[in-house]
């Protein structure tokens, strides 16, 4: 039992929740280590949404709104951390949700789908085919989902698949706390923020942005600016961390 007054209560509670999800087979053991990498970068960001991340979140909403066939690609960590937020985003955006896993088994696919559905998410189903140009199991996806999508929202992604999706001509919107990851560099747009902080901003932007604001945000999209801004914030905090 984590004491409510523990200064790292939220972080410890999230870890406990992810460990429970790992025991249930929703999160993979590798997913737990990926979470740890994210936590380290979040510490360097001060565990808050920066102004540039907020701008990236608004730009992501604009890109998704302008997309012809957008899709939200969800893995085990994303489902475990954010199922209610995914349901809320889907409610305001009608974004289709597809489960896509690195460590793919039928059992995990079913468990993650059931977990999302229990929170009100409508998950795309159908017969998966090996359609993405990748050698591992993330190549499996739905023809009417990821394969035909023009814009893909992919939190906590690995660099190979982000690069493969870009190679297929898709716009990739990543949510990744590590601005130096291959994913962050390969994506069309990278939100350098923690997933559960980023999604509420996306939801808000979806409901609030005007058409003109969306066009303006998309016209000025500069992913390197977002990555440099995150690195600058981390450098600033490293320089003054002991003050
Ligand atoms: P790449 O292949 O892109 O260089 P990687 O090998 O780190 O990156 P993964 O192991 O799939 O790829 O890691 C997923 C990424 O997700 C990590 O960069 C990590 O910082 C990030 N991450 C983990 N948890 C969160 C979270 N809750 N919110 C945002 N990002 C996160």
């Amino acid at each position: 039992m984590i004491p409510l007054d523990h200064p790292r209560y939220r972080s410890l509670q999230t870890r406990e929740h992810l460990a429970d999800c790992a025991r249930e087979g929703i999160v993979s053991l590798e997913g737990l280590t990926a979470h740890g990498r994210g936590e380290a970068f979040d510490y360097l960001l001060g565990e808050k949404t920066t102004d540039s991340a907020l701008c990236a979140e608004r730009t992501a909403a604009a890109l998704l709104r302008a997309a012809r066939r957008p899709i939200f690609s969800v893995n085990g960590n994303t489902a475990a951390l954010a199922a209610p937020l995914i349901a809320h985003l889907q409610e305001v955006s009608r974004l289709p949700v597809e489960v896509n896993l690195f460590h793919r088994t039928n059992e995990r696919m079913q468990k993650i789908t059931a977990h999302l559905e229990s929170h009100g998410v409508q998950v795309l189903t159908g017969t998966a085919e090996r359609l993405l140009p990748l050698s591992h199991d993330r190549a499996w996806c739905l023809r009417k989902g990821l394969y035909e999508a023009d814009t893909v929202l992919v939190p906590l992604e690995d660099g190979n698949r982000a690069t493969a999706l870009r190679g297929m001509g898709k716009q990739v919107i990543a949510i990744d706390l590590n601005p130096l990851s291959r994913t962050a560099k390969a994506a069309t747009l990278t939100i350098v923020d923690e997933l559960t902080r980023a999604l509420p901003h996306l939801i808000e932007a979806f409901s609030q942005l005007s058409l003109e604001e969306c066009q303006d945000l998309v016209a000025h999209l500069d992913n390197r600016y977002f990555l440099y801004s995150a690195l600058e914030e981390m450098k600033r905090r490293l320089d003054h961390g002991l003050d």
Side-chain angles (χ1 to χ4, degrees), residues 73-167:
S73 175
V74 170
N75 67 6
N77 280 37
T78 302
L81 289 169
L85 290 170
I86 297 168
H88 193 174
L89 178 60
Q90 192 173 53
E91 195 184 307
V92 298
S93 68
R94 309 236 160 274
L95 206 53
V97 168
E98 179 172 341
V99 176
N100 184 264
L101 304 179
F102 194 100
H103 302 282
R104 186 187 178 106
T105 61
N106 283 340
E107 195 191 350
R108 260 196 95 212
M109 289 293 292
Q110 280 164 14
K111 281 188 177 166
I112 292 167
T113 301
H115 176 74
L116 289 167
E117 286 176 348
S118 74
H119 285 88
V121 180
Q122 283 178 30
V123 181
L124 278 184
T125 50
T127 308
E129 297 172 67
R130 212 182 169 104
L131 294 170
L132 306 183
L134 290 165
S135 54
H136 52 73
D137 280 351
R138 290 202 94 174
W140 290 89
C141 70
L142 299 175
R143 188 172 287 276
K144 293 270 168 233
L146 260 169
Y147 181 70
E148 289 185 357
D150 63 346
T151 304
V152 189
L153 175 63
V154 273
L156 329 189
E157 179 60 333
D158 78 282
N160 283 3
R161 198 176 71 124
T163 306
L165 293 172
R166 286 306 306 277

Side-chain angles (χ1 to χ4, degrees), residues 10-11 13-19 21 26-27 31-32 34-36 38-39 74-86 115-116 119 155-156 177 194-197 199:
R10 190 164 186 274
S11 160
Q13 198 195 31
T14 302
R15 287 183 187 178
E16 195 171 81
H17 172 64
L18 284 175
C21 288
I26 290 170
V27 168
L32 293 180
H35 179 76
E39 278 190 328
V74 170
N75 67 6
N77 280 37
T78 302
L81 289 169
L85 290 170
I86 297 168
H115 176 74
L116 289 167
H119 285 88
L156 329 189
L177 280 159
E194 201 280 323
L195 175 70
T196 61
R197 289 198 306 268
L199 290 181

Side-chain angles (χ1 to χ4, degrees), residues 62-80:
L63 272 185
L64 289 167
R65 270 179 45 171
R68 215 173 20 87
R69 295 192 71 141
I71 197 152
F72 192 168
S73 175
V74 170
N75 67 6
N77 280 37
T78 302

Side-chain angles (χ1 to χ4, degrees), residues 34 37-38 81 156-157 159 176-178 181-183 193-195:
R37 181 177 288 172
L81 289 169
L156 329 189
E157 179 60 333
D176 190 337
L177 280 159
N178 177 3
S181 74
R182 292 173 309 142
T183 299
D193 200 1
E194 201 280 323
L195 175 70

